[in-house]
């Protein structure tokens, strides 16, 4: 693991073992074929039970419900190693754990927890998270999906867009406004009549990930499908905070991947009788990559400590997501420049990570949205349009 400031030296033996085990496992099981899956536009579904067996789904949730029960540093290191392979793997695990398992654990009934969490943790069941809509990506308050009470059931009508795992999910956590306009979460089995998932094709990013549109037309679910312990946007936004936390770690793995490949290439590629690693402009790019990775690792490590202490604020997560993702995207672009023409082929990971990170920079709050969140926190004022 790239670690210029020896952050691993501040961690415990168990945390270091989690990282080393994840690196060895993913290098063997996922790395050799990931570029082929990306090129074909397929998610490597055969990895799901293996990832579940390793405990990588909802890893920071309690053992009682089938999860690994690790701390948030170990969880972050798992996200790092998954995205070191590909953003699609980390995104799958983020959705499964932070966006589906976390809200069930935090806001679900005991019956819902026992029914869903062990199966989601093992990978026997796949989940997806339905919040974003066509007209309201950064404005969830404009939600149009409705849940109308009908006897002991609710009828869901509406659609969700850009949903990871949608076409392979067994259950969708759908957020909808009830008769009073209050946002509630519903656990919807995807075989429910009236529920349809449409695959989004022709993507030039996150190709080794399933992305879907969810459509609900008089989709009837029992009242017991509602998460009982949360109302309003606080529910889905708290889930996004959990997912953003994992992203701050994950993208650092992508920086390592593109940096190491660019460094290796620069050491062996010669121009005018000298390796390009001896060129000032190439060294400048490599130094920026390591500097950004080091700063990002320290940010994420501190965020993990605060999270384990119960002191992490969502604005602190916004800062780390904003900084780490944008610097990861810039690192991938720089690596592609160092590689020259070789940077556009999938034998090198730079172009794949670069295109993936264009999406990671957008989802879970764009760079601009996190800027506004931080600006409001610092000044106490909503920014004027």
């Amino acid at each position: 693991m790239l670690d210029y400031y020896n952050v691993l030296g501040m961690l415990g033996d168990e945390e270091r073992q989690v990282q080393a085990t994840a690196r060895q496992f993913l290098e063997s099981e996922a790395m050799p074929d990931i570029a082929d899956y990306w090129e074909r536009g397929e998610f490597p579904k055969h990895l799901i039970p293996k990832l579940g067996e390793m405990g990588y789904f909802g890893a920071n949730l309690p053992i009682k419900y089938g999860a690994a029960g690790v701390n948030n540093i170990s969880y972050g290191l798992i996200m790092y190693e998954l995205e070191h392979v590909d953003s699609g793997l980390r995104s799958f695990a983020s959705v499964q754990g932070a966006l589906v398992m976390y809200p069930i654990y935090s806001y679900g009934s005991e019956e819902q927890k026992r029914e869903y969490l062990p199966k989601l943790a093992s990978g026997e069941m796949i989940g997806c998270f339905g919040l974003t809509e066509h007209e309201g990506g950064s404005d969830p308050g404009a939600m149009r999906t409705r849940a109308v009470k009908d006897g002991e059931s609710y009828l869901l009508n509406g659609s969700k867009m850009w949903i990871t795992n949608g076409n392979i999910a067994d259950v969708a956590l759908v957020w909808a406004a009830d008769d009073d306009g209050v946002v509630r979460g519903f656990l919807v089995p995807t075989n429910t009549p009236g529920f349809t998932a449409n695959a989004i094709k022709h993507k030039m990013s996150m190709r080794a990930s399933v992305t879907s549109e969810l459509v609900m037309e008089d989709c009837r679910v029992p009242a017991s499908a509602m998460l009982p312990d949360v109302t309003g946007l606080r529910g889905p936004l708290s889930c996004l905070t959990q997912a953003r936390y994992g992203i701050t770690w994950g993208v650092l793995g992508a920086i390592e991947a593109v940096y190491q490949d660019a460094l290796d290439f620069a050491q062996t590629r010669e121009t005018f009788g000298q390796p390009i690693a001896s060129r000032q402009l190439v060294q400048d790019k490599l130094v920026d990559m390591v500097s950004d990775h080091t700063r990002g690792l320290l940010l994420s490590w501190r965020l993990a400590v605060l999270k384990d202490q119960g002191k992490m604020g969502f604005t602190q997560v916004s800062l780390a997501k904003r900084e780490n993702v944008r610097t990861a995207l810039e690192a991938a672009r720089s690596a592609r420049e160092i590689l020259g023409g070789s940077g556009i082929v999938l034998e090198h990971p730079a172009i794949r990570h670069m295109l993936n990170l264009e999406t990671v920079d957008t989802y879970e709050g764009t760079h601009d949205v996190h800027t506004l969140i931080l600006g409001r926190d610092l000044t106490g004022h909503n920014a004027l349009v």
Side-chain angles (χ1 to χ4, degrees):
M1 176 178 169
L2 179 61
D3 186 14
Y4 201 72
Y5 265 34
N6 192 24
V7 173
L8 288 175
M10 299 189 293
L11 308 186
D13 291 342
E14 182 177 340
E15 293 156 346
R16 288 193 293 270
Q17 183 63 38
V18 165
Q19 183 276 323
T21 300
R23 174 62 62 97
Q24 181 180 19
F25 168 76
L26 291 165
E27 288 278 1
S28 171
E29 297 291 334
M31 190 69 84
D33 300 321
I34 192 62
D36 292 335
Y37 278 96
W38 194 94
E39 186 172 27
R40 294 198 303 268
E42 296 178 17
F43 179 76
K45 291 186 287 187
H46 70 282
L47 291 176
I48 295 173
K50 296 180 181 180
L51 294 171
E53 185 178 348
M54 294 297 293
Y56 292 165
F57 300 142
N60 54 352
L61 296 178
I63 295 173
K64 174 182 178 182
Y65 295 110
V70 301
N71 67 11
N72 283 293
I73 292 175
S74 294
Y75 175 85
L77 291 166
I78 292 168
M79 297 300 108
Y80 182 111
E81 294 301 334
L82 288 167
E83 196 145 4
H84 180 249
V85 178
D86 192 84
S87 299
L89 288 184
R90 197 268 311 142
S91 190
F92 181 96
S94 287
V95 170
Q96 187 86 339
L99 296 184
V100 181
M101 294 175 68
Y102 168 80
I104 295 173
Y105 171 70
S106 298
Y107 308 125
S109 66
E110 187 61 29
E111 291 75 16
Q112 289 169 338
K113 295 175 189 177
R114 294 189 181 280
E115 178 180 357
Y116 288 106
L117 290 180
K119 293 178 182 178
L120 289 164
S122 69
E124 177 185 347
M125 180 177 285
I126 300 169
C128 67
F129 178 86
L131 176 63
T132 300
E133 298 185 353
H134 290 266
E135 286 83 20
S138 296
D139 183 14
M143 185 181 299
R144 296 184 179 181
T145 302
R146 291 291 180 264
V148 176
K149 189 77 184 299
D150 184 36
E152 297 302 314
S153 303
Y154 282 87
L155 287 175
L156 301 181
N157 282 280
S159 62
K160 303 294 182 176
M161 193 62 175
W162 309 117
I163 308 304
T164 298
N165 299 348
N167 278 82
I168 58 174
D170 301 292
V171 62
L173 174 50
V174 176
W175 299 92
D178 66 13
D179 295 328
D180 298 319
V182 177
V183 173
R184 305 298 301 255
F186 296 86
L187 292 166
V188 184
T190 56
N191 61 359
T192 302
F195 182 97
T196 306
N198 301 313
I200 296 173
K201 301 292 188 179
H202 311 300
K203 297 183 298 176
M204 291 295 103
S205 177
M206 301 295 288
R207 290 182 54 78
S209 177
V210 175
T211 311
S212 312
E213 175 196 36
L214 308 183
V215 179
M216 287 142 288
E217 297 176 320
D218 288 337
C219 183
R220 184 181 296 275
V221 295
S224 60
M226 180 192 293
L227 297 180
D229 293 338
V230 70
T231 60
L233 288 174
R234 179 178 70 89
L237 293 181
S238 70
C239 302
L240 293 179
T241 296
Q242 304 303 313
R244 289 164 179 165
Y245 167 78
I247 290 170
T248 72
W249 282 92
V251 294
L252 300 174
I255 294 180
E256 178 183 343
V258 299
Y259 161 76
Q260 192 62 57
D261 189 53
L263 177 63
D264 293 344
F265 183 86
Q267 298 282 21
T268 57
R269 176 77 165 96
E270 290 190 1
T271 59
F272 308 104
Q274 296 291 331
I276 64 172
S278 68
R279 309 300 177 191
Q280 291 179 359
L281 292 176
V282 171
Q283 290 186 7
D284 180 66
K285 290 180 174 66
L286 294 171
V287 168
D288 280 346
M289 291 183 209
V290 172
S291 297
D292 290 338
H293 180 277
T294 301
R295 182 172 61 252
L297 191 57
L298 289 168
L299 274 175
S300 292
W301 165 77
R302 181 58 184 161
L303 205 58
V305 172
L306 291 171
K307 195 173 191 303
D308 279 329
Q309 293 174 347
K311 297 177 181 179
M312 184 187 80
F314 73 91
T315 58
Q316 294 168 318
V317 180
S318 282
L319 189 151
K321 198 275 184 182
R322 177 184 184 272
E323 295 303 301
N324 287 7
V325 177
R326 182 55 60 91
T327 55
L329 178 55
E330 291 170 353
R333 290 170 175 167
S334 292
R336 202 224 51 82
E337 289 178 359
I338 292 172
L339 288 159
S342 297
I344 69 168
V345 296
L346 289 176
E347 282 77 10
H348 294 273
I351 190 69
R352 176 168 54 84
H353 281 291
M354 187 185 85
L355 292 171
N356 285 341
L357 289 165
E358 289 286 355
T359 293
V360 182
D361 193 55
T362 299
Y363 71 21
E364 310 286 1
T366 66
H367 187 272
D368 289 349
V369 164
H370 288 296
T371 299
L372 295 175
I373 289 171
L374 290 163
R376 182 178 60 193
D377 186 54
L378 296 175
T379 67
H381 297 285
N382 286 316
L384 297 176
V385 177

